[in-house]
Amino acid sequence: MEGEFRLLDGAALSRVYRDHVRRDFPPAERKPLQAMERMRRIGRYDPLGYYSGEKLLGYAFLWRDRAGEYVLLDYLAVCPEGRGQGTGTAMLEGLNARYRGCRAILAEAEAVGTAGNVPAQSVTFLYRASGSPAVSD
């Protein structure tokens, strides 16, 4: 589903964290909100909401290195109302365009069936949408 990324301010980051991140990620995988906010304030963390009009379809939070050469996709999720409509793929394409000047966009996923119990379709989606077979154990 088509949409646009918007950089979240502190209040919007808090809302997305409270209403979505807590639901979408198990406690062991959640970075404290205060740590995200601290990194956002110094310009090293990009909390992005993916919107269609005023409706949040998904979100992506990315950490940037000091030099701005690398970004790490810290969190990526599609809200229930955006699922099954190409939203996740559109988000990854948008992230690729937004961070085109970086040397690499890094993503990691827990192994299927480990502590986070990442579903196989999540790992397959990241691999298929990345256009890169750069996967390591």
Side-chain angles (χ1 to χ4, degrees):
M1 178 176 278
E2 287 298 313
E4 67 174 349
F5 278 113
R6 297 181 199 156
L7 192 60
L8 302 176
D9 63 15
L13 171 58
S14 293
R15 267 192 314 279
V16 170
Y17 190 92
R18 179 190 66 233
D19 298 342
H20 298 280
V21 175
R22 286 184 179 164
R23 175 194 65 209
D24 297 333
F25 294 91
E29 292 182 18
R30 289 194 306 250
K31 184 180 270 92
L33 175 60
Q34 296 80 5
M36 292 178 181
E37 181 57 33
R38 185 172 50 253
M39 290 187 298
R40 184 192 68 79
R41 280 194 311 270
I42 63 170
R44 300 273 309 281
Y45 204 68
D46 293 344
L48 302 170
Y50 189 74
Y51 290 88
S52 176
E54 294 306 310
K55 186 175 193 169
L56 181 69
L57 299 176
Y59 57 92
F61 297 169
L62 298 99
W63 171 86
R64 291 184 286 120
D65 73 323
R66 281 193 173 99
E69 293 183 0
Y70 297 93
V71 293
L72 171 68
L73 181 57
D74 208 12
Y75 295 91
L76 175 73
V78 176
C79 299
E81 35 302 346
R83 293 183 186 149
Q85 302 172 54
T87 304
T89 299
M91 289 173 65
L92 287 176
E93 290 169 355
L95 291 172
N96 191 40
R98 185 180 188 101
Y99 295 100
R100 182 181 336 248
C102 295
R103 293 182 65 162
I105 300 172
L106 309 170
E108 86 178 301
E110 300 293 328
V112 176
T114 62
N117 291 318
V118 174
Q121 65 265 28
S122 295
V123 175
T124 302
F125 167 74
L126 279 172
Y127 179 78
R128 185 181 70 240
S130 72
S132 170
V135 176
S136 67
D137 293 332

